[in-house]
Amino acid sequence: MIEIKNLHKSFGGKAVLRGVNLTIQDGERLVIVGRSGCGKSVLLKHIINLLQPDEGYILVDEIPIRKVGQKDLFQLRRQFGFLFQGAALFDSMTVSENIALPLNEHTKWSKTEIAEKVSEKLSLVGLPGIEDLKPSELSGGMKKRVGLARALILEPKYIMYDEPTTGLDPIMAANIDKLIVKLSEHLQVTSIVVTHDMQSVEKVADRVVMLHNGRIIFSGTVDEMNRSDDEVVHQFVTADADGPIQPKPQKYLT
Ligand SMILES: Nc1ncnc2c1ncn2[C@@H]1O[C@H](COP(=O)(O)OP(=O)(O)OP(=O)(O)O)[C@@H](O)[C@H]1O
Ligand SMILES: [Mg+2]
């Protein structure tokens, strides 16, 4: 279980998170929505301690992540798979080297063991046999799936997906949504998905929360969200405020 308590974060005097409270249960598929720039990626990065809060704290399985030492932090990180917005693959490395990256840091496995794990995860995401390709040879959807294979390589308890379907055609996006559901059911992982895409939300979410002005302003099922009479929530689901919501170019990959 992840408990986020009263999280505050500002950048250069600009408040992004202003008291976020959120509990994520084991096995849940939680989707976080919100307008571009509202702090969704910033929130995810706090959960894996890539960013530290100005105020508030996060408990992972009842352990406050700010208080753990370097060694325990390492163990804690191991429990998280992160599919970065934009996939964030290294172009100079092969698919297999990209997927194996977390293993160099976290394990002392032999080359054969690594090769086996990499192949297993590639099959799991529906891309068997592409170990030796370079990211430049892959389509956008394939890159996302390779990023996902990398997120899965250490068999995490929690997987975080930052905009997994952005920039994909509708069929590929639907495939990724199916994969998220399949992984959550087969591996019993807890999934935290950030997206703009209401179609994805409908397919993936057990529960959806909306981040707005630095706080969670809605939590409930997709149906409840669609029926919400809160003006901001309603505008978001119908996208009638100022046209369809487009993601802004990605500037912060890590
Ligand atoms: N490392 C950083 N340094 C300074 N400002 C940052 C940093 N990371 C994020 N921000 C700012 O925090 C705000 C929230 O950014 P964030 O990336 O979390 O938005 P988002 O909700 O994920 O948006 P999008 O849907 O476009 O991905 C933005 O104004 C962004 O410019
Ligand atoms: Mg983002």
Side-chain angles (χ1 to χ4, degrees):
M1 182 167 73
I2 300 172
E3 294 158 276
I4 300 169
K5 306 276 191 191
N6 192 32
L7 212 69
H8 284 74
K9 182 71 174 179
S10 297
F11 293 107
K14 183 175 162 260
V16 175
L17 304 180
R18 302 191 306 147
V20 172
N21 289 291
L22 179 63
T23 299
I24 304 161
Q25 302 292 343
D26 286 349
E28 192 173 21
R29 282 197 304 273
L30 177 80
V31 175
I32 303 172
V33 298
R35 300 290 304 269
S36 206
C38 75
K40 303 180 297 298
S41 296
V42 166
L43 179 59
L44 285 191
K45 285 172 191 167
H46 278 85
I47 301 177
I48 48 170
N49 214 23
L50 274 179
L51 288 171
Q52 284 79 41
D54 299 333
E55 210 184 311
Y57 60 95
I58 296 176
L59 306 175
V60 173
D61 297 329
E62 295 174 6
I63 299 165
I65 57 174
R66 277 310 292 282
K67 300 225 168 86
V68 300
Q70 204 54 38
K71 192 166 155 271
D72 292 334
L73 184 64
F74 210 62
Q75 285 308 318
L76 192 85
R77 280 236 175 106
R78 228 196 124 129
Q79 298 188 57
F80 286 92
F82 201 115
L83 178 61
F84 286 97
Q85 196 165 352
L89 301 177
F90 291 95
D91 288 332
S92 60
M93 296 181 180
T94 64
V95 162
S96 142
E97 286 163 348
N98 266 288
I99 296 173
L101 263 184
L103 298 177
N104 303 334
E105 207 188 347
H106 284 277
T107 70
K108 300 217 179 332
W109 293 352
S110 71
K111 277 195 170 150
T112 322
E113 283 169 308
I114 292 178
E116 272 169 20
K117 281 282 172 196
V118 167
S119 301
E120 183 192 310
K121 298 309 177 227
L122 274 173
S123 295
L124 197 59
V125 300
L127 293 175
I130 67 155
E131 284 83 346
D132 296 331
L133 296 185
K134 288 280 182 67
S136 59
E137 298 172 86
L138 307 177
S139 72
M142 290 166 91
K143 281 185 192 160
K144 296 261 185 186
R145 286 191 281 165
V146 169
L148 187 50
R150 183 172 64 194
L152 291 168
I153 195 78
L154 285 163
E155 291 167 6
K157 179 171 177 193
Y158 302 99
I159 307 183
M160 297 199 266
Y161 302 86
D162 198 351
E163 306 278 2
T165 61
T166 301
L168 302 181
D169 69 59
I171 292 168
M172 187 47 75
N175 276 335
I176 298 279
D177 292 335
K178 273 194 208 140
L179 196 51
I180 294 172
V181 174
K182 174 182 133 182
L183 293 174
S184 123
E185 286 171 354
H186 289 214
L187 308 176
Q188 267 104 45
V189 289
T190 304
S191 313
I192 305 156
V193 183
V194 159
T195 187
H196 289 98
D197 179 350
M198 279 309 288
Q199 288 199 344
S200 262
V201 178
E202 302 212 356
K203 292 199 189 102
V204 166
D206 292 330
R207 178 163 70 103
V208 50
V209 298
M210 181 164 179
L211 188 61
H212 183 73
N213 279 347
R215 297 200 180 94
I216 302 288
I217 59 156
F218 173 87
S219 169
T221 63
V222 180
D223 269 0
E224 284 163 352
M225 190 180 201
N226 283 327
R227 282 189 271 110
S228 169
D229 49 19
D230 179 285
E231 199 181 328
V232 177
V233 175
H234 183 76
Q235 274 177 359
F236 185 86
V237 294
T238 57
D240 72 355
D242 39 18
I245 296 152
Q246 296 296 333
K248 65 170 192 256
Q250 174 58 21
K251 277 185 246 137
Y252 308 99
L253 281 181
T254 55

